[in-house]
Amino acid sequence: MIYLELFLSFVKIGFTSFGGMSMVPVIMEEMGRHGWMSAGDISNLIAIAEMTPGSLGVNCATFAGTQTAGFLGGLAAVTGVLTPAFTLTLAVAVFFARFRTSGVMKAVLTVVKPICIGMILLVILTLGEGSFFPQGRFDYVAALIAVVCFVLIRWKKVSVPLLIGLSAAMGIVCYGLLGLG
Amino acid sequence: MSKSKLKIGLELFWIFLKIGCFTFGSGWSVLAQLEQEFVDKRKAITKSDLLELTTVGKSVPGIMITNICMLFGYQMGGWFGGVCAVVGLTVPAVFILTAVTFFYDAVKGNPWFGYAMRGIGGAVVAIISGAAVSLGKEALRRWSAVLICAAAFLLGLLTDISNIALILIGVVGALCWYGVRLGLEKKKGGDGK
């Protein structure tokens, strides 16, 4: 059953994510494994999740679930991605005083965070290939847009929704009006 | 469940529903709104307590901000309060994203939308790279961390190992390392601090 599969996939995604973009590699893997979404879809998913209000995790789950199996699919995916909060975090809340002083999660994060970064680097490779080499040809416009955006986000602290709007405008001008690429 | 907890829960649901409508830019804006509403206005929690909830919420797997809302809601009104806070925060996002998804499906075939999405494709690579740099600055301060990162990258690149397996290996490894360290400390028998 598709709803149960979506739910279970997002339970896995929820329990193996440790903040922000660390969720993206596992989403990509689960979507690809079930044939629900391609790498290009994932790129759109990230853009849409970052542009709309709400956390990246909830937005990704809703979009991926709704794309795959309609409104109920979205609901199943969101319930899945919230499962850690309703179980593990609730347990932590109950034993808050004891958990706070224990170093066990700190030890786990020290090891898992670097692993997440390694996985995110792999995602960058996959998405970069899709964006910069569509159909095997080098798309210098997309590469240029990426460089400009990276500079803006790292050194000018431009907000992400604004950056996505800017890059959409650049895409329309360069590909649509000027016929480049 | 007592009547007062029910009332607190419903109140939390309503407050988080409102906060959920305006959470641009990851969870940090939610935290700012929590501080305004519960620290400054209602004096229901101190700033340092909220910071502590944040630190713990960040260290539990899952979505950071929903974890923090769960911890916060629990402190205010037990498990029901926690669930109400999380559901309240999530509902607006689900409705907005559902609408956006149907809109996306409707315009997907349009060539101009395609041009915009090709441009956005470049931006997404830059956004994730930016996130990787920030994360790296925070998490790759030691050579051991750089080695773990490189090992995960190479394993993912050269083998078919799944991301979930990589993370599980990391968690188990970390727990072993923690256990050994705890054992060694016990052996030393509490000399020093």
Side-chain angles (χ1 to χ4, degrees), chain A residues 14 16-17 25 29 44 54 67 89 100 105 139 154, chain B residues 23 52 59 62 67 104-105 117-118 123 134 137 163 167:
Chain A
T16 48
S17 74
E29 179 172 285
N44 297 349
Q67 279 272 295
T89 314
R100 197 187 46 189
M105 272 325 285
D139 182 344
R154 277 307 305 170
Chain B
T23 24
E52 200 165 64
S59 68
N67 288 340
Y104 172 82
D105 284 337
M117 279 330 265
R118 268 175 83 183
S134 319
K137 273 190 176 164
N163 286 327
I167 290 177

mmCIF file with all atom_site columns, all heavy atoms in Angstrom, chain A residues 14 16-17 25 29 44 54 67 89 100 105 139 154, chain B residues 23 52 59 62 67 104-105 117-118 123 134 137 163 167:
data_model
loop_
_atom_site.group_PDB
_atom_site.id
_atom_site.type_symbol
_atom_site.label_atom_id
_atom_site.label_alt_id
_atom_site.label_comp_id
_atom_site.label_asym_id
_atom_site.label_entity_id
_atom_site.label_seq_id
_atom_site.pdbx_PDB_ins_code
_atom_site.Cartn_x
_atom_site.Cartn_y
_atom_site.Cartn_z
_atom_site.occupancy
_atom_site.B_iso_or_equiv
_atom_site.pdbx_formal_charge
_atom_site.auth_seq_id
_atom_site.auth_comp_id
_atom_site.auth_asym_id
_atom_site.auth_atom_id
_atom_site.pdbx_PDB_model_num
ATOM 1   N N   . GLY A 1 14  ? 13.004 10.567 9.017   1.00 0.00 ? 14  GLY A N   1
ATOM 2   C CA  . GLY A 1 14  ? 12.944 11.351 10.239  1.00 0.00 ? 14  GLY A CA  1
ATOM 3   C C   . GLY A 1 14  ? 13.993 10.923 11.260  1.00 0.00 ? 14  GLY A C   1
ATOM 4   O O   . GLY A 1 14  ? 14.711 11.749 11.807  1.00 0.00 ? 14  GLY A O   1
ATOM 5   N N   . THR A 1 16  ? 16.769 9.390  10.849  1.00 0.00 ? 16  THR A N   1
ATOM 6   C CA  . THR A 1 16  ? 18.183 9.463  10.457  1.00 0.00 ? 16  THR A CA  1
ATOM 7   C C   . THR A 1 16  ? 18.580 10.874 10.064  1.00 0.00 ? 16  THR A C   1
ATOM 8   O O   . THR A 1 16  ? 19.614 11.060 9.430   1.00 0.00 ? 16  THR A O   1
ATOM 9   C CB  . THR A 1 16  ? 18.474 8.516  9.281   1.00 0.00 ? 16  THR A CB  1
ATOM 10  O OG1 . THR A 1 16  ? 17.473 8.722  8.281   1.00 0.00 ? 16  THR A OG1 1
ATOM 11  C CG2 . THR A 1 16  ? 18.450 7.069  9.715   1.00 0.00 ? 16  THR A CG2 1
ATOM 12  N N   . SER A 1 17  ? 17.780 11.885 10.434  1.00 0.00 ? 17  SER A N   1
ATOM 13  C CA  . SER A 1 17  ? 18.187 13.242 10.082  1.00 0.00 ? 17  SER A CA  1
ATOM 14  C C   . SER A 1 17  ? 18.536 14.011 11.345  1.00 0.00 ? 17  SER A C   1
ATOM 15  O O   . SER A 1 17  ? 17.924 13.844 12.385  1.00 0.00 ? 17  SER A O   1
ATOM 16  C CB  . SER A 1 17  ? 17.086 13.954 9.313   1.00 0.00 ? 17  SER A CB  1
ATOM 17  O OG  . SER A 1 17  ? 16.062 14.298 10.180  1.00 0.00 ? 17  SER A OG  1
ATOM 18  N N   . PRO A 1 25  ? 19.988 13.866 1.771   1.00 0.00 ? 25  PRO A N   1
ATOM 19  C CA  . PRO A 1 25  ? 20.537 12.631 1.184   1.00 0.00 ? 25  PRO A CA  1
ATOM 20  C C   . PRO A 1 25  ? 19.617 11.429 1.353   1.00 0.00 ? 25  PRO A C   1
ATOM 21  O O   . PRO A 1 25  ? 19.421 10.651 0.408   1.00 0.00 ? 25  PRO A O   1
ATOM 22  C CB  . PRO A 1 25  ? 21.844 12.414 1.950   1.00 0.00 ? 25  PRO A CB  1
ATOM 23  C CG  . PRO A 1 25  ? 22.235 13.749 2.445   1.00 0.00 ? 25  PRO A CG  1
ATOM 24  C CD  . PRO A 1 25  ? 20.965 14.491 2.694   1.00 0.00 ? 25  PRO A CD  1
ATOM 25  N N   . GLU A 1 29  ? 17.640 9.203  -1.495  1.00 0.00 ? 29  GLU A N   1
ATOM 26  C CA  . GLU A 1 29  ? 17.800 7.759  -1.596  1.00 0.00 ? 29  GLU A CA  1
ATOM 27  C C   . GLU A 1 29  ? 16.451 7.035  -1.571  1.00 0.00 ? 29  GLU A C   1
ATOM 28  O O   . GLU A 1 29  ? 16.176 6.166  -2.400  1.00 0.00 ? 29  GLU A O   1
ATOM 29  C CB  . GLU A 1 29  ? 18.655 7.301  -0.420  1.00 0.00 ? 29  GLU A CB  1
ATOM 30  C CG  . GLU A 1 29  ? 18.908 5.825  -0.360  1.00 0.00 ? 29  GLU A CG  1
ATOM 31  C CD  . GLU A 1 29  ? 19.928 5.550  0.729   1.00 0.00 ? 29  GLU A CD  1
ATOM 32  O OE1 . GLU A 1 29  ? 21.108 5.836  0.477   1.00 0.00 ? 29  GLU A OE1 1
ATOM 33  O OE2 . GLU A 1 29  ? 19.558 5.101  1.814   1.00 0.00 ? 29  GLU A OE2 1
ATOM 34  N N   . ASN A 1 44  ? 13.963 20.479 -7.469  1.00 0.00 ? 44  ASN A N   1
ATOM 35  C CA  . ASN A 1 44  ? 12.756 21.315 -7.396  1.00 0.00 ? 44  ASN A CA  1
ATOM 36  C C   . ASN A 1 44  ? 12.139 21.272 -6.007  1.00 0.00 ? 44  ASN A C   1
ATOM 37  O O   . ASN A 1 44  ? 11.677 22.286 -5.485  1.00 0.00 ? 44  ASN A O   1
ATOM 38  C CB  . ASN A 1 44  ? 11.708 20.843 -8.411  1.00 0.00 ? 44  ASN A CB  1
ATOM 39  C CG  . ASN A 1 44  ? 12.204 20.986 -9.835  1.00 0.00 ? 44  ASN A CG  1
ATOM 40  O OD1 . ASN A 1 44  ? 13.224 21.618 -10.067 1.00 0.00 ? 44  ASN A OD1 1
ATOM 41  N ND2 . ASN A 1 44  ? 11.508 20.384 -10.768 1.00 0.00 ? 44  ASN A ND2 1
ATOM 42  N N   . GLY A 1 54  ? 7.500  27.255 6.890   1.00 0.00 ? 54  GLY A N   1
ATOM 43  C CA  . GLY A 1 54  ? 7.519  25.904 7.468   1.00 0.00 ? 54  GLY A CA  1
ATOM 44  C C   . GLY A 1 54  ? 8.920  25.322 7.405   1.00 0.00 ? 54  GLY A C   1
ATOM 45  O O   . GLY A 1 54  ? 9.770  25.811 6.675   1.00 0.00 ? 54  GLY A O   1
ATOM 46  N N   . GLN A 1 67  ? 2.991  14.665 -4.243  1.00 0.00 ? 67  GLN A N   1
ATOM 47  C CA  . GLN A 1 67  ? 3.382  14.345 -5.619  1.00 0.00 ? 67  GLN A CA  1
ATOM 48  C C   . GLN A 1 67  ? 3.201  12.861 -5.906  1.00 0.00 ? 67  GLN A C   1
ATOM 49  O O   . GLN A 1 67  ? 2.804  12.470 -6.993  1.00 0.00 ? 67  GLN A O   1
ATOM 50  C CB  . GLN A 1 67  ? 4.866  14.691 -5.829  1.00 0.00 ? 67  GLN A CB  1
ATOM 51  C CG  . GLN A 1 67  ? 5.118  16.136 -6.092  1.00 0.00 ? 67  GLN A CG  1
ATOM 52  C CD  . GLN A 1 67  ? 5.028  16.459 -7.559  1.00 0.00 ? 67  GLN A CD  1
ATOM 53  O OE1 . GLN A 1 67  ? 5.812  15.992 -8.359  1.00 0.00 ? 67  GLN A OE1 1
ATOM 54  N NE2 . GLN A 1 67  ? 4.043  17.248 -7.921  1.00 0.00 ? 67  GLN A NE2 1
ATOM 55  N N   . THR A 1 89  ? 11.456 12.215 21.063  1.00 0.00 ? 89  THR A N   1
ATOM 56  C CA  . THR A 1 89  ? 11.551 13.526 21.713  1.00 0.00 ? 89  THR A CA  1
ATOM 57  C C   . THR A 1 89  ? 10.623 13.593 22.919  1.00 0.00 ? 89  THR A C   1
ATOM 58  O O   . THR A 1 89  ? 10.961 14.214 23.929  1.00 0.00 ? 89  THR A O   1
ATOM 59  C CB  . THR A 1 89  ? 11.220 14.644 20.716  1.00 0.00 ? 89  THR A CB  1
ATOM 60  O OG1 . THR A 1 89  ? 11.912 14.393 19.512  1.00 0.00 ? 89  THR A OG1 1
ATOM 61  C CG2 . THR A 1 89  ? 11.645 15.987 21.261  1.00 0.00 ? 89  THR A CG2 1
ATOM 62  N N   . ARG A 1 100 ? 19.722 15.734 29.816  1.00 0.00 ? 100 ARG A N   1
ATOM 63  C CA  . ARG A 1 100 ? 20.502 16.949 29.635  1.00 0.00 ? 100 ARG A CA  1
ATOM 64  C C   . ARG A 1 100 ? 21.949 16.760 30.080  1.00 0.00 ? 100 ARG A C   1
ATOM 65  O O   . ARG A 1 100 ? 22.870 17.281 29.478  1.00 0.00 ? 100 ARG A O   1
ATOM 66  C CB  . ARG A 1 100 ? 19.845 18.051 30.463  1.00 0.00 ? 100 ARG A CB  1
ATOM 67  C CG  . ARG A 1 100 ? 20.235 19.436 30.119  1.00 0.00 ? 100 ARG A CG  1
ATOM 68  C CD  . ARG A 1 100 ? 19.621 20.361 31.132  1.00 0.00 ? 100 ARG A CD  1
ATOM 69  N NE  . ARG A 1 100 ? 19.822 19.839 32.480  1.00 0.00 ? 100 ARG A NE  1
ATOM 70  C CZ  . ARG A 1 100 ? 19.257 20.333 33.567  1.00 0.00 ? 100 ARG A CZ  1
ATOM 71  N NH1 . ARG A 1 100 ? 18.430 21.327 33.468  1.00 0.00 ? 100 ARG A NH1 1
ATOM 72  N NH2 . ARG A 1 100 ? 19.499 19.818 34.755  1.00 0.00 ? 100 ARG A NH2 1
ATOM 73  N N   . MET A 1 105 ? 24.271 11.726 23.608  1.00 0.00 ? 105 MET A N   1
ATOM 74  C CA  . MET A 1 105 ? 23.872 12.300 22.320  1.00 0.00 ? 105 MET A CA  1
ATOM 75  C C   . MET A 1 105 ? 24.982 13.157 21.737  1.00 0.00 ? 105 MET A C   1
ATOM 76  O O   . MET A 1 105 ? 25.138 13.253 20.529  1.00 0.00 ? 105 MET A O   1
ATOM 77  C CB  . MET A 1 105 ? 22.594 13.129 22.472  1.00 0.00 ? 105 MET A CB  1
ATOM 78  C CG  . MET A 1 105 ? 21.305 12.351 22.324  1.00 0.00 ? 105 MET A CG  1
ATOM 79  S SD  . MET A 1 105 ? 21.294 10.997 21.148  1.00 0.00 ? 105 MET A SD  1
ATOM 80  C CE  . MET A 1 105 ? 21.228 11.848 19.580  1.00 0.00 ? 105 MET A CE  1
ATOM 81  N N   . ASP A 1 139 ? 26.198 23.038 -19.218 1.00 0.00 ? 139 ASP A N   1
ATOM 82  C CA  . ASP A 1 139 ? 25.318 24.205 -19.238 1.00 0.00 ? 139 ASP A CA  1
ATOM 83  C C   . ASP A 1 139 ? 26.005 25.323 -18.460 1.00 0.00 ? 139 ASP A C   1
ATOM 84  O O   . ASP A 1 139 ? 25.915 25.391 -17.244 1.00 0.00 ? 139 ASP A O   1
ATOM 85  C CB  . ASP A 1 139 ? 23.972 23.814 -18.592 1.00 0.00 ? 139 ASP A CB  1
ATOM 86  C CG  . ASP A 1 139 ? 22.966 24.954 -18.603 1.00 0.00 ? 139 ASP A CG  1
ATOM 87  O OD1 . ASP A 1 139 ? 23.371 26.117 -18.820 1.00 0.00 ? 139 ASP A OD1 1
ATOM 88  O OD2 . ASP A 1 139 ? 21.778 24.679 -18.379 1.00 0.00 ? 139 ASP A OD2 1
ATOM 89  N N   . ARG A 1 154 ? 27.107 33.133 0.693   1.00 0.00 ? 154 ARG A N   1
ATOM 90  C CA  . ARG A 1 154 ? 28.218 32.999 1.647   1.00 0.00 ? 154 ARG A CA  1
ATOM 91  C C   . ARG A 1 154 ? 28.693 34.354 2.149   1.00 0.00 ? 154 ARG A C   1
ATOM 92  O O   . ARG A 1 154 ? 28.960 34.534 3.324   1.00 0.00 ? 154 ARG A O   1
ATOM 93  C CB  . ARG A 1 154 ? 29.419 32.283 1.002   1.00 0.00 ? 154 ARG A CB  1
ATOM 94  C CG  . ARG A 1 154 ? 29.388 30.794 0.962   1.00 0.00 ? 154 ARG A CG  1
ATOM 95  C CD  . ARG A 1 154 ? 29.138 30.128 2.287   1.00 0.00 ? 154 ARG A CD  1
ATOM 96  N NE  . ARG A 1 154 ? 30.045 30.483 3.356   1.00 0.00 ? 154 ARG A NE  1
ATOM 97  C CZ  . ARG A 1 154 ? 29.861 30.153 4.621   1.00 0.00 ? 154 ARG A CZ  1
ATOM 98  N NH1 . ARG A 1 154 ? 28.807 29.467 4.964   1.00 0.00 ? 154 ARG A NH1 1
ATOM 99  N NH2 . ARG A 1 154 ? 30.730 30.500 5.542   1.00 0.00 ? 154 ARG A NH2 1
ATOM 100 N N   . THR B 2 23  ? 6.787  31.003 9.315   1.00 0.00 ? 23  THR B N   1
ATOM 101 C CA  . THR B 2 23  ? 8.108  30.466 9.643   1.00 0.00 ? 23  THR B CA  1
ATOM 102 C C   . THR B 2 23  ? 8.991  30.420 8.423   1.00 0.00 ? 23  THR B C   1
ATOM 103 O O   . THR B 2 23  ? 9.312  29.358 7.937   1.00 0.00 ? 23  THR B O   1
ATOM 104 C CB  . THR B 2 23  ? 8.023  29.033 10.147  1.00 0.00 ? 23  THR B CB  1
ATOM 105 O OG1 . THR B 2 23  ? 6.841  28.473 9.648   1.00 0.00 ? 23  THR B OG1 1
ATOM 106 C CG2 . THR B 2 23  ? 8.091  28.931 11.604  1.00 0.00 ? 23  THR B CG2 1
ATOM 107 N N   . GLU B 2 52  ? 18.173 26.042 26.674  1.00 0.00 ? 52  GLU B N   1
ATOM 108 C CA  . GLU B 2 52  ? 18.481 24.661 27.028  1.00 0.00 ? 52  GLU B CA  1
ATOM 109 C C   . GLU B 2 52  ? 17.617 23.689 26.237  1.00 0.00 ? 52  GLU B C   1
ATOM 110 O O   . GLU B 2 52  ? 18.102 22.674 25.735  1.00 0.00 ? 52  GLU B O   1
ATOM 111 C CB  . GLU B 2 52  ? 18.251 24.472 28.520  1.00 0.00 ? 52  GLU B CB  1
ATOM 112 C CG  . GLU B 2 52  ? 18.974 23.279 29.071  1.00 0.00 ? 52  GLU B CG  1
ATOM 113 C CD  . GLU B 2 52  ? 19.010 23.354 30.584  1.00 0.00 ? 52  GLU B CD  1
ATOM 114 O OE1 . GLU B 2 52  ? 17.944 23.293 31.202  1.00 0.00 ? 52  GLU B OE1 1
ATOM 115 O OE2 . GLU B 2 52  ? 20.108 23.486 31.125  1.00 0.00 ? 52  GLU B OE2 1
ATOM 116 N N   . SER B 2 59  ? 19.856 18.000 19.473  1.00 0.00 ? 59  SER B N   1
ATOM 117 C CA  . SER B 2 59  ? 20.658 16.778 19.560  1.00 0.00 ? 59  SER B CA  1
ATOM 118 C C   . SER B 2 59  ? 19.817 15.515 19.408  1.00 0.00 ? 59  SER B C   1
ATOM 119 O O   . SER B 2 59  ? 20.354 14.422 19.418  1.00 0.00 ? 59  SER B O   1
ATOM 120 C CB  . SER B 2 59  ? 21.421 16.745 20.888  1.00 0.00 ? 59  SER B CB  1
ATOM 121 O OG  . SER B 2 59  ? 20.514 16.596 21.946  1.00 0.00 ? 59  SER B OG  1
ATOM 122 N N   . GLY B 2 62  ? 15.517 13.941 13.945  1.00 0.00 ? 62  GLY B N   1
ATOM 123 C CA  . GLY B 2 62  ? 14.241 14.479 13.491  1.00 0.00 ? 62  GLY B CA  1
ATOM 124 C C   . GLY B 2 62  ? 14.395 15.934 13.100  1.00 0.00 ? 62  GLY B C   1
ATOM 125 O O   . GLY B 2 62  ? 15.496 16.430 12.946  1.00 0.00 ? 62  GLY B O   1
ATOM 126 N N   . ASN B 2 67  ? 11.147 19.147 17.272  1.00 0.00 ? 67  ASN B N   1
ATOM 127 C CA  . ASN B 2 67  ? 11.660 18.605 18.531  1.00 0.00 ? 67  ASN B CA  1
ATOM 128 C C   . ASN B 2 67  ? 11.600 19.645 19.643  1.00 0.00 ? 67  ASN B C   1
ATOM 129 O O   . ASN B 2 67  ? 11.177 19.356 20.761  1.00 0.00 ? 67  ASN B O   1
ATOM 130 C CB  . ASN B 2 67  ? 13.104 18.131 18.359  1.00 0.00 ? 67  ASN B CB  1
ATOM 131 C CG  . ASN B 2 67  ? 13.192 16.872 17.530  1.00 0.00 ? 67  ASN B CG  1
ATOM 132 O OD1 . ASN B 2 67  ? 12.208 16.143 17.391  1.00 0.00 ? 67  ASN B OD1 1
ATOM 133 N ND2 . ASN B 2 67  ? 14.349 16.611 16.976  1.00 0.00 ? 67  ASN B ND2 1
ATOM 134 N N   . TYR B 2 104 ? 2.242  23.502 -8.731  1.00 0.00 ? 104 TYR B N   1
ATOM 135 C CA  . TYR B 2 104 ? 3.452  23.017 -9.413  1.00 0.00 ? 104 TYR B CA  1
ATOM 136 C C   . TYR B 2 104 ? 3.089  22.028 -10.515 1.00 0.00 ? 104 TYR B C   1
ATOM 137 O O   . TYR B 2 104 ? 3.592  22.110 -11.639 1.00 0.00 ? 104 TYR B O   1
ATOM 138 C CB  . TYR B 2 104 ? 4.360  22.367 -8.371  1.00 0.00 ? 104 TYR B CB  1
ATOM 139 C CG  . TYR B 2 104 ? 5.576  21.648 -8.918  1.00 0.00 ? 104 TYR B CG  1
ATOM 140 C CD1 . TYR B 2 104 ? 6.737  22.352 -9.247  1.00 0.00 ? 104 TYR B CD1 1
ATOM 141 C CD2 . TYR B 2 104 ? 5.580  20.272 -9.071  1.00 0.00 ? 104 TYR B CD2 1
ATOM 142 C CE1 . TYR B 2 104 ? 7.848  21.698 -9.740  1.00 0.00 ? 104 TYR B CE1 1
ATOM 143 C CE2 . TYR B 2 104 ? 6.688  19.607 -9.553  1.00 0.00 ? 104 TYR B CE2 1
ATOM 144 C CZ  . TYR B 2 104 ? 7.823  20.321 -9.885  1.00 0.00 ? 104 TYR B CZ  1
ATOM 145 O OH  . TYR B 2 104 ? 8.928  19.669 -10.362 1.00 0.00 ? 104 TYR B OH  1
ATOM 146 N N   . ASP B 2 105 ? 2.177  21.103 -10.202 1.00 0.00 ? 105 ASP B N   1
ATOM 147 C CA  . ASP B 2 105 ? 1.755  20.124 -11.210 1.00 0.00 ? 105 ASP B CA  1
ATOM 148 C C   . ASP B 2 105 ? 1.084  20.805 -12.398 1.00 0.00 ? 105 ASP B C   1
ATOM 149 O O   . ASP B 2 105 ? 1.229  20.374 -13.540 1.00 0.00 ? 105 ASP B O   1
ATOM 150 C CB  . ASP B 2 105 ? 0.789  19.105 -10.588 1.00 0.00 ? 105 ASP B CB  1
ATOM 151 C CG  . ASP B 2 105 ? 1.531  18.097 -9.735  1.00 0.00 ? 105 ASP B CG  1
ATOM 152 O OD1 . ASP B 2 105 ? 2.738  17.922 -9.967  1.00 0.00 ? 105 ASP B OD1 1
ATOM 153 O OD2 . ASP B 2 105 ? 0.914  17.497 -8.838  1.00 0.00 ? 105 ASP B OD2 1
ATOM 154 N N   . MET B 2 117 ? 12.932 27.088 -13.592 1.00 0.00 ? 117 MET B N   1
ATOM 155 C CA  . MET B 2 117 ? 13.407 25.962 -12.782 1.00 0.00 ? 117 MET B CA  1
ATOM 156 C C   . MET B 2 117 ? 14.850 25.609 -13.119 1.00 0.00 ? 117 MET B C   1
ATOM 157 O O   . MET B 2 117 ? 15.602 25.186 -12.252 1.00 0.00 ? 117 MET B O   1
ATOM 158 C CB  . MET B 2 117 ? 12.503 24.730 -12.991 1.00 0.00 ? 117 MET B CB  1
ATOM 159 C CG  . MET B 2 117 ? 11.213 24.723 -12.185 1.00 0.00 ? 117 MET B CG  1
ATOM 160 S SD  . MET B 2 117 ? 11.188 25.558 -10.608 1.00 0.00 ? 117 MET B SD  1
ATOM 161 C CE  . MET B 2 117 ? 11.516 24.312 -9.421  1.00 0.00 ? 117 MET B CE  1
ATOM 162 N N   . ARG B 2 118 ? 15.276 25.776 -14.395 1.00 0.00 ? 118 ARG B N   1
ATOM 163 C CA  . ARG B 2 118 ? 16.678 25.512 -14.741 1.00 0.00 ? 118 ARG B CA  1
ATOM 164 C C   . ARG B 2 118 ? 17.595 26.497 -14.014 1.00 0.00 ? 118 ARG B C   1
ATOM 165 O O   . ARG B 2 118 ? 18.654 26.127 -13.521 1.00 0.00 ? 118 ARG B O   1
ATOM 166 C CB  . ARG B 2 118 ? 16.879 25.626 -16.249 1.00 0.00 ? 118 ARG B CB  1
ATOM 167 C CG  . ARG B 2 118 ? 16.711 24.295 -16.966 1.00 0.00 ? 118 ARG B CG  1
ATOM 168 C CD  . ARG B 2 118 ? 16.787 24.470 -18.453 1.00 0.00 ? 118 ARG B CD  1
ATOM 169 N NE  . ARG B 2 118 ? 18.163 24.505 -18.947 1.00 0.00 ? 118 ARG B NE  1
ATOM 170 C CZ  . ARG B 2 118 ? 18.461 24.710 -20.235 1.00 0.00 ? 118 ARG B CZ  1
ATOM 171 N NH1 . ARG B 2 118 ? 17.503 24.896 -21.109 1.00 0.00 ? 118 ARG B NH1 1
ATOM 172 N NH2 . ARG B 2 118 ? 19.727 24.720 -20.621 1.00 0.00 ? 118 ARG B NH2 1
ATOM 173 N N   . ALA B 2 123 ? 20.828 27.550 -8.404  1.00 0.00 ? 123 ALA B N   1
ATOM 174 C CA  . ALA B 2 123 ? 20.780 28.133 -7.058  1.00 0.00 ? 123 ALA B CA  1
ATOM 175 C C   . ALA B 2 123 ? 20.735 27.057 -5.986  1.00 0.00 ? 123 ALA B C   1
ATOM 176 O O   . ALA B 2 123 ? 21.361 27.190 -4.931  1.00 0.00 ? 123 ALA B O   1
ATOM 177 C CB  . ALA B 2 123 ? 19.561 29.044 -6.929  1.00 0.00 ? 123 ALA B CB  1
ATOM 178 N N   . SER B 2 134 ? 28.715 25.820 6.092   1.00 0.00 ? 134 SER B N   1
ATOM 179 C CA  . SER B 2 134 ? 28.388 26.207 7.477   1.00 0.00 ? 134 SER B CA  1
ATOM 180 C C   . SER B 2 134 ? 28.462 25.006 8.411   1.00 0.00 ? 134 SER B C   1
ATOM 181 O O   . SER B 2 134 ? 29.015 25.087 9.509   1.00 0.00 ? 134 SER B O   1
ATOM 182 C CB  . SER B 2 134 ? 26.990 26.802 7.574   1.00 0.00 ? 134 SER B CB  1
ATOM 183 O OG  . SER B 2 134 ? 26.729 27.648 6.517   1.00 0.00 ? 134 SER B OG  1
ATOM 184 N N   . LYS B 2 137 ? 32.106 23.998 9.001   1.00 0.00 ? 137 LYS B N   1
ATOM 185 C CA  . LYS B 2 137 ? 32.823 24.876 9.934   1.00 0.00 ? 137 LYS B CA  1
ATOM 186 C C   . LYS B 2 137 ? 32.536 24.488 11.378  1.00 0.00 ? 137 LYS B C   1
ATOM 187 O O   . LYS B 2 137 ? 33.376 24.608 12.252  1.00 0.00 ? 137 LYS B O   1
ATOM 188 C CB  . LYS B 2 137 ? 32.380 26.324 9.713   1.00 0.00 ? 137 LYS B CB  1
ATOM 189 C CG  . LYS B 2 137 ? 33.181 27.028 8.645   1.00 0.00 ? 137 LYS B CG  1
ATOM 190 C CD  . LYS B 2 137 ? 32.834 28.502 8.667   1.00 0.00 ? 137 LYS B CD  1
ATOM 191 C CE  . LYS B 2 137 ? 33.684 29.254 7.671   1.00 0.00 ? 137 LYS B CE  1
ATOM 192 N NZ  . LYS B 2 137 ? 33.113 30.579 7.417   1.00 0.00 ? 137 LYS B NZ  1
ATOM 193 N N   . ASN B 2 163 ? 22.598 5.418  2.594   1.00 0.00 ? 163 ASN B N   1
ATOM 194 C CA  . ASN B 2 163 ? 22.828 6.498  3.557   1.00 0.00 ? 163 ASN B CA  1
ATOM 195 C C   . ASN B 2 163 ? 22.379 6.103  4.951   1.00 0.00 ? 163 ASN B C   1
ATOM 196 O O   . ASN B 2 163 ? 23.017 6.441  5.945   1.00 0.00 ? 163 ASN B O   1
ATOM 197 C CB  . ASN B 2 163 ? 22.068 7.746  3.113   1.00 0.00 ? 163 ASN B CB  1
ATOM 198 C CG  . ASN B 2 163 ? 22.740 8.420  1.936   1.00 0.00 ? 163 ASN B CG  1
ATOM 199 O OD1 . ASN B 2 163 ? 23.964 8.392  1.824   1.00 0.00 ? 163 ASN B OD1 1
ATOM 200 N ND2 . ASN B 2 163 ? 21.956 9.005  1.062   1.00 0.00 ? 163 ASN B ND2 1
ATOM 201 N N   . ILE B 2 167 ? 24.614 6.068  8.435   1.00 0.00 ? 167 ILE B N   1
ATOM 202 C CA  . ILE B 2 167 ? 24.274 6.751  9.687   1.00 0.00 ? 167 ILE B CA  1
ATOM 203 C C   . ILE B 2 167 ? 24.206 5.754  10.840  1.00 0.00 ? 167 ILE B C   1
ATOM 204 O O   . ILE B 2 167 ? 24.718 6.011  11.935  1.00 0.00 ? 167 ILE B O   1
ATOM 205 C CB  . ILE B 2 167 ? 22.944 7.513  9.541   1.00 0.00 ? 167 ILE B CB  1
ATOM 206 C CG1 . ILE B 2 167 ? 23.147 8.699  8.606   1.00 0.00 ? 167 ILE B CG1 1
ATOM 207 C CG2 . ILE B 2 167 ? 22.445 8.004  10.890  1.00 0.00 ? 167 ILE B CG2 1
ATOM 208 C CD1 . ILE B 2 167 ? 21.913 9.489  8.319   1.00 0.00 ? 167 ILE B CD1 1
#
